Amino acid sequence: MYGFEALTFNIHGGYLEAIVRGHRAGLLTTADYNNLCQCENLDDIKMHLSATKYGSYLQNEPSPLHTTTIVEKCTLKLVDDYKHMLCQATEPMSTFLEYIRYGHMIDNVVLIVTGTLHERDVQELIEKCHPLGMFDSIATLAVAQNMRELYRLVLVDTPLAPYFSECLTSEDLDDMNIEIMRNTLYKAYLEDFYKFCQKLGGATSEIMSDLLAFEADRRAVNITINSIGTELTREDRKKLYSNFGLLYPYGHEELAICEDIDQVRGVMEKYPPYQAIFSKMSYGESQMLDKAFYEEEVRRLCLAFEQQFHYAVFFAYMRLREQEIRNLMWISECVAQNQKSRIHDSVVYMF
Amino acid sequence: MSGVTIAHASSWGAALVRTSPYTFSAIGIAISIGVSVLGAAWGIYITGSSLIGAAIEAPRITSKNLISVIFCEAVAIYGVIVAIILQTKLESVPSSKMYDAESLRAGYAIFASGIIVGFANLVCGLCVGIIGSSCALSDAQNSTLFVKILVIEIFGSALGLFGVIVGIIMSAQATWPTK
């Protein structure tokens, strides 16, 4: 019952919620980012990070460091935190935590299929996959020639199987189809996750609905902008939009017919939450859009921690960590390539 | 039977009035301690699970936040004290006077006292437990918050005290008819 979760949530979720809030306290603050931005080289970054929670993961790395090593080790911490929480969780929290991984599984599947199309070695691709999205038969993906085979050989045994009903065709896989497949899978995943959260009810469903609706809307805008000028038809584009969110259904109708960014802006400015985002950018500028969306996402994720006794804190923590790893990757790349003036272009501060 | 008018010998009213006052008293005493301890235990597990998890990243909070657990425990102690007081109010009455109005009044007074204390302590234990859980989590992030949230908890634990006071006043008038 909404409002009375405090009475029974702590039976199964109290310990893990306290743990995730402890992890949240270890996220990097603006002061940490300022220190990192002052670094001259990657060894300085490693030294600054050794005072944070990443210390134990980076201390055994020999110099010279690479940016990929830093990102890999930080991702390892995220995976360790996640696995620790997953193994302690009971239903329905364990299902909720599993849902957080499916997005990464989809990304990994698309990575391997695209890489195979471009004749890359399977082992090399598997090393590049996100560790949260690994599953057992992932290497077999390289064998498949079209989507039906992909489904039949590998994906039917994974949790992604129910998302494939929309995109099973016998066409051969090429770049365009793979992107469409990725977006169709992600759409099915988001809708499934949304329904699951609605079923959970209470504060979880309220907060997760808001977060997932923002995600769905953001993806709709990105799909629109990325498919302007390509051969994706309007109906196909409309099929890739999720059926929930602030933009559903009228915003989707209007987005489907947009042909350039100013039209997209015109559509989005009718919705007050997104008007604030788009008003930060002047006309004709689209590079800042990604960063503006990330900032809005981080703002909403931080707000999820304001309420106690719900599962959305786990989702928020995982997303905030991923954003932090993106920030660290950007900072490391800028420092390694000596372009420190561009550091502030893409770092999203959290607290 | 003297002094008591009942409509029908087999109506619900008759069943109520013909139930022994000792039954009501005993149930009242049982509820006073049973439900109080339920409230205390519920509150302790709500606080305890959050406290344990939060103390992993911030070990300094453990000793201070045991106060929340102690406030919950106090709720159980109120229940025990009132149960002991109530059971001293039970006296034997000759069977000719067992269904007198005054006997019934004594029985009902002890029953009501037990319910008052039991349920007031149930919600007090829950309240203190939930606040204690939030207190532990906030203290782990920012140690200046502890004392401020403790004030809220003190107000919460006053609820159990209200129940105990009214319960004791109720039971003070539980006078059985003299032999």
Side-chain angles (χ1 to χ4, degrees):
Chain A
M1 204 185 352
Y2 192 11
F4 290 90
E5 293 116 352
L7 299 181
T8 48
F9 183 85
N10 274 8
I11 303 176
H12 292 294
Y15 173 69
L16 283 176
E17 180 179 2
I19 295 246
V20 89
R21 284 178 185 266
H23 287 319
R24 172 224 184 264
L27 288 171
L28 299 177
T29 60
T30 313
D32 290 319
Y33 283 125
N34 283 336
N35 281 343
L36 286 172
C37 292
Q38 311 287 349
C39 289
E40 296 295 326
N41 55 37
L42 292 178
D43 286 321
D44 276 346
I45 289 190
K46 175 176 155 185
M47 186 186 73
H48 279 288
L49 285 180
S50 63
T52 68
K53 299 287 178 185
Y54 291 117
S56 53
Y57 290 87
L58 284 175
Q59 71 191 13
N60 291 328
E61 292 303 308
S63 17
L65 276 184
H66 290 283
T67 55
T68 47
T69 322
I70 294 182
V71 173
E72 204 182 294
K73 294 298 167 195
C74 295
T75 315
L76 201 56
K77 172 175 177 18
L78 172 64
V79 173
D80 280 345
D81 286 345
Y82 177 80
K83 291 219 168 95
H84 173 84
M85 291 193 290
L86 185 61
C87 72
Q88 301 258 9
T90 60
E91 290 292 331
M93 197 193 312
S94 51
T95 314
F96 185 90
L97 289 175
E98 289 278 354
Y99 265 99
I100 299 179
R101 293 174 63 187
Y102 296 165
H104 292 293
M105 275 190 201
I106 294 175
D107 287 338
N108 284 354
V109 165
V110 170
L111 180 76
I112 291 190
V113 168
T114 319
T116 314
L117 197 64
H118 293 255
E119 320 267 318
R120 297 246 201 291
D121 179 38
V122 171
Q123 287 308 318
E124 190 190 313
L125 291 170
I126 289 187
E127 276 165 29
K128 289 212 182 126
C129 283
H130 198 284
L132 275 182
M134 296 299 276
F135 49 92
D136 283 335
S137 40
I138 199 166
T140 329
L141 284 171
V143 177
Q145 299 292 339
N146 61 32
M147 284 189 220
R148 229 175 256 290
E149 262 183 44
L150 202 63
Y151 178 72
R152 206 172 41 85
L153 287 178
V154 185
L155 293 165
V156 68
D157 291 324
T158 64
L160 298 179
Y163 305 148
F164 261 83
S165 55
E166 304 266 319
C167 61
L168 273 183
T169 62
S170 300
E171 291 171 13
D172 274 348
L173 298 165
D174 64 33
D175 278 320
M176 176 74 139
N177 286 346
I178 291 177
E179 271 311 299
I180 295 184
M181 178 176 84
R182 180 212 294 269
N183 284 311
T184 321
L185 283 177
Y186 213 90
K187 167 192 165 168
Y189 156 61
L190 276 183
E191 285 171 9
D192 193 22
F193 199 1
Y194 187 76
K195 276 204 277 284
F196 177 70
C197 290
Q198 299 284 72
K199 231 178 10 158
L200 287 177
T204 304
S205 89
E206 181 175 328
I207 299 177
M208 284 306 296
S209 299
D210 180 55
L211 293 174
L212 290 177
F214 179 76
E215 177 79 14
D217 292 339
R218 180 170 77 160
R219 287 190 80 85
V221 171
N222 282 338
I223 288 174
T224 313
I225 293 184
N226 291 339
S227 64
I228 291 174
T230 65
E231 40 189 50
L232 192 65
T233 63
R234 290 178 180 180
E235 288 74 31
D236 281 341
R237 196 198 278 178
K238 196 143 161 266
K239 272 198 288 199
L240 295 177
Y241 298 148
S242 306
N243 16 343
F244 63 95
L246 204 56
L247 291 175
Y248 170 78
Y250 306 112
H252 288 165
E253 303 271 336
E254 296 183 21
L255 274 181
I257 58 175
C258 283
E259 293 297 333
D260 69 48
I261 295 196
D262 290 325
Q263 284 181 355
V264 170
R265 173 195 288 271
V267 172
M268 299 302 283
E269 286 190 340
K270 295 190 195 146
Y271 296 88
Y274 303 127
Q275 191 214 7
I277 300 178
F278 276 79
S279 65
K280 285 189 208 153
M281 303 166 4
S282 50
Y283 271 93
E285 191 187 284
S286 76
Q287 307 93 294
M288 299 303 289
L289 186 61
D290 271 346
K291 184 172 183 205
F293 270 129
Y294 279 134
E295 281 175 353
E296 176 67 16
E297 186 189 8
V298 162
R299 190 186 68 85
R300 290 182 190 217
L301 292 172
C302 290
L303 285 177
F305 285 93
E306 300 292 313
Q307 217 174 330
Q308 208 180 337
F309 309 118
H310 60 85
Y311 296 142
V313 282
F314 298 98
F315 179 80
Y317 168 68
M318 299 292 290
R319 284 294 170 102
L320 284 173
R321 266 280 178 224
E322 286 167 22
Q323 178 60 45
E324 182 176 279
I325 294 177
R326 274 196 289 269
N327 285 347
L328 283 176
M329 183 175 73
W330 179 259
I331 293 178
S332 310
E333 288 285 351
C334 285
V335 163
Q337 296 173 16
N338 241 332
Q339 296 216 17
K340 287 168 55 168
S341 53
R342 295 195 56 201
I343 273 191
H344 296 284
D345 280 351
S346 194
V347 173
V348 178
Y349 296 103
M350 290 178 214
F351 316 108
Chain B
M1 298 295 121
S2 55
V4 181
T5 46
I6 312 156
H8 217 287
S10 62
S11 66
W12 284 107
L16 204 59
V17 172
R18 296 289 303 201
T19 308
S20 161
Y22 295 128
T23 311
F24 280 110
S25 312
I27 293 178
I29 297 174
I31 287 181
S32 112
I33 177 151
V35 178
S36 301
V37 170
L38 173 66
W42 203 331
I44 290 181
Y45 93 64
I46 292 180
T47 299
S49 50
S50 293
L51 181 52
I52 290 176
I56 291 183
E57 295 281 336
R60 60 181 165 79
I61 67 168
T62 34
S63 20
K64 278 200 292 183
N65 279 278
L66 285 177
I67 282 188
S68 307
V69 177
I70 291 174
F71 274 132
C72 288
E73 175 72 20
V75 156
I77 293 178
Y78 296 157
V80 173
I81 291 175
V82 171
I84 292 177
I85 291 176
L86 289 181
Q87 64 87 27
T88 61
K89 300 283 180 188
L90 276 178
E91 289 169 14
S92 287
V93 157
S95 29
S96 57
K97 298 206 174 184
M98 197 156 71
Y99 295 102
D100 282 2
E102 210 176 318
S103 288
L104 292 177
R105 185 184 93 144
Y108 295 151
I110 298 180
F111 179 61
S113 176
I115 290 188
I116 290 169
V117 172
F119 286 96
N121 285 337
L122 171 65
V123 293
C124 173
L126 278 173
C127 169
V128 173
I130 294 174
I131 300 176
S133 152
S134 307
C135 183
L137 294 177
S138 325
D139 190 16
Q141 305 263 349
N142 179 358
S143 44
T144 59
L145 289 175
F146 175 71
V147 177
K148 301 180 173 125
I149 299 184
L150 201 63
V151 172
I152 306 177
E153 227 174 295
I154 292 173
F155 278 112
S157 76
L159 300 173
L161 220 45
F162 297 158
V164 169
I165 292 171
V166 175
I168 293 188
I169 294 175
M170 276 295 295
S171 70
Q173 56 168 299
T175 45
W176 300 85
T178 49
K179 297 199 194 339

